[in-house]
Amino acid sequence: MSDLAAFFRMLGALWVLVRADALAPRSLDPYLPPMGRLLARILRLFAGPQARRGREGERLAVALERLGPVAIKLGQLLSTRADIFGQVFADDLARLKDQLEPFPMEVAYAEVSNSLGRPAGGLFSEFHPPVGAASLAQAHPARLADGRKVAVKVLRPGIEHRIRADIRALNLAARFAERMGPEARRLEPRAATATVARSLELELDLRLEAAGASELGEVMARDPYMRAPEVIWDGVGKRVLTLAWAEGVPLSDPLALEQEGLDRPALATQLTRAFLAQALDHGVFHADLHEGNLFAAAPDRLMAVDYGIVGRLGPPERRYLAEILWGFLERDYLRVSRVHFEAGYVPAHHSVEAFAQAIRAVGEPIFGHTAQQVSMGRILGQLFEITALFDMRLRPELVLLQKTMVTVEGVARRIDPDHDLWAAADPVVRRWITRELSPPARIRRLAEEGLTVLEGLARHARSEPVSHALHRDTPERGSRFLWFAFGAAVAGMAFAIAAFVRLH
């Protein structure tokens, strides 16, 4: 797909949104600057007849469905934030989660056989019409030959071509956005788009999703918060995925939260803790936790499906996240500020104390209030202003984490409008801090770093014999000798500390 084709695809998408009056609806006017409001009024002059049909959320849902999978993903994210956009708007977008138009069952059944390389009847004794159709795939109830009930996920025909065309147009839009000025460049649109594009490309191979479900299933089994269905590996192919049938009712079903015996506050707490435990303790998390992918059963059991997007955090990012959350829990804003500077999230030329003051202005109004008393739209607006004031740039490696945190909080508040995110996070974050930042943990980490230095020196020594390095008549002889002596000292210290830690 050429840049010219991508350009016309981008213009086409904008035109669809303008005609539906979904690009800049009137409800956004209070949040726009004067020039933005003027531009919005001009765009509304081009709205079509469909702009007068239904509510804003309904019009946007129809427009996003027409625009395809990438746009639908955006709509799914917006639908989780009733606290920002309003309950009616969120409900109107909820149909984008798993209520799209399905493709014929006969096509799906043939695709199963093609992808698995054998007749579908050899694996499934029953294969039923789809119970949910999403942007990339649809799910069919089925039974294995041994009688077990399973869910069979099948990719939509031609979806790979559609996704790649959308990504090309998205990349072009990001390049245009970067030319709009410093404020747009600060948001790193091209880097953010690349992260989203990569995650979508991985979703197009269901063998990778099966591996993600298996890995996260093992991670989830270590905590009581959430479960993953078993992968039926005999039913896995590039375009087909078979999982054990998920227990419970999908949260996208209005009746899910009306189940007898359901403890809604406990369920919301389980969701928040499940996400944080995955991200902090294991560095791998389900990165698409909207209601269509979550099944609930009384009293507070959660099961997640759809592992096409898996987020990962390295040890430094996990530590930064834990320390920032811990700082907010303790209302230690100076600590939160220092972590931001240490991580490089805030440029070094700014004041640590001034940034702590700005964070306090965001954090203090939250404490002591229920979720219904806190305006998330106002808080997000204030945070955005702070990021601009302190020249903070979007971190592409954290895009999936931030997107999932926003989704999880939105879903948790839909489950329980009084959900206290900080109270739910406290035990998970406290556990991580106690384990990773206690004196024994610091000593253990020092020992590991010492062993790493020793291993590096050993590799260097293997590349050049020590006797040659020490007796060769060059200016480097003395420095090499010192490096080996230092390595021996570090090794001795590391082993001594490691022994001490094991004994205590």
Side-chain angles (χ1 to χ4, degrees), residues 232-500:
I232 310 300
W233 286 101
D234 286 346
V236 174
K238 185 172 183 180
R239 307 191 86 251
V240 174
L241 170 65
T242 306
L243 299 173
W245 189 255
E247 175 191 11
V249 181
L251 286 176
S252 55
D253 186 334
L255 298 178
L257 297 178
E258 305 302 323
Q259 297 178 72
E260 184 178 355
L262 194 73
D263 187 338
R264 292 176 63 163
L267 190 70
T269 296
Q270 294 285 70
L271 174 59
T272 297
R273 291 178 180 172
F275 163 65
L276 287 175
Q278 292 166 33
L280 288 178
D281 291 336
H282 309 290
V284 56
F285 58 92
H286 191 306
D288 201 14
L289 289 172
H290 63 73
E291 284 109 325
N293 290 339
L294 290 166
F295 286 67
D300 60 359
R301 296 195 301 277
L302 270 177
M303 180 169 281
V305 299
D306 195 349
Y307 293 80
I309 309 178
V310 174
R312 298 187 184 276
L313 291 177
E317 289 75 29
R318 290 158 64 184
R319 181 170 68 84
Y320 297 143
L321 173 62
E323 293 211 56
I324 288 170
L325 290 173
W326 182 250
F328 270 109
L329 287 168
E330 295 293 299
R331 297 163 84 168
D332 186 348
Y333 301 110
L334 188 58
R335 181 176 187 173
V336 174
S337 178
R338 285 173 178 154
V339 173
H340 274 80
F341 278 80
E342 181 185 344
Y345 299 158
V346 182
H349 65 270
H350 286 291
S351 164
V352 173
E353 291 75 15
F355 186 64
Q357 178 184 352
I359 293 174
R360 179 183 293 272
V362 176
E364 281 300 303
I366 297 174
F367 290 100
H369 293 83
T370 66
Q372 291 179 319
Q373 295 172 316
V374 177
S375 169
M376 285 304 299
R378 184 169 58 82
I379 289 172
L380 289 176
Q382 190 173 352
L383 282 171
F384 191 78
E385 290 171 5
I386 288 173
T387 63
L389 187 62
F390 287 88
D391 303 315
M392 295 173 66
R393 301 179 73 87
L394 181 74
R395 305 289 297 210
E397 72 275 16
L398 300 180
V399 166
L400 284 180
L401 175 74
Q402 293 164 338
K403 171 249 187 190
T404 308
M405 289 182 74
V406 169
T407 303
V408 165
E409 187 193 9
V411 174
R413 290 189 174 198
R414 282 175 68 92
I415 295 172
D416 174 24
D418 291 325
H419 179 63
D420 187 336
L421 177 71
W422 299 112
D426 186 286
V428 177
V429 178
R430 188 181 300 274
R431 179 178 68 185
W432 191 95
I433 291 290
T434 301
R435 186 182 67 243
E436 299 295 334
L437 298 184
S438 64
R442 293 179 186 275
I443 293 173
R444 184 168 57 250
R445 193 157 51 247
L446 177 61
E448 292 169 353
E449 290 171 358
L451 289 171
T452 300
V453 171
L454 180 62
E455 289 169 358
L457 291 170
R459 284 194 297 271
H460 183 77
R462 283 195 294 271
S463 66
E464 182 175 7
V466 175
S467 59
H468 179 68
L470 293 179
H471 292 95
R472 190 158 47 92
D473 188 18
T474 70
E476 298 178 1
R477 182 177 63 185
S479 63
R480 289 180 183 274
F481 175 78
L482 288 175
W483 272 111
F484 280 105
F486 173 72
V490 168
M493 179 180 69
F495 283 118
I497 292 174
F500 173 83

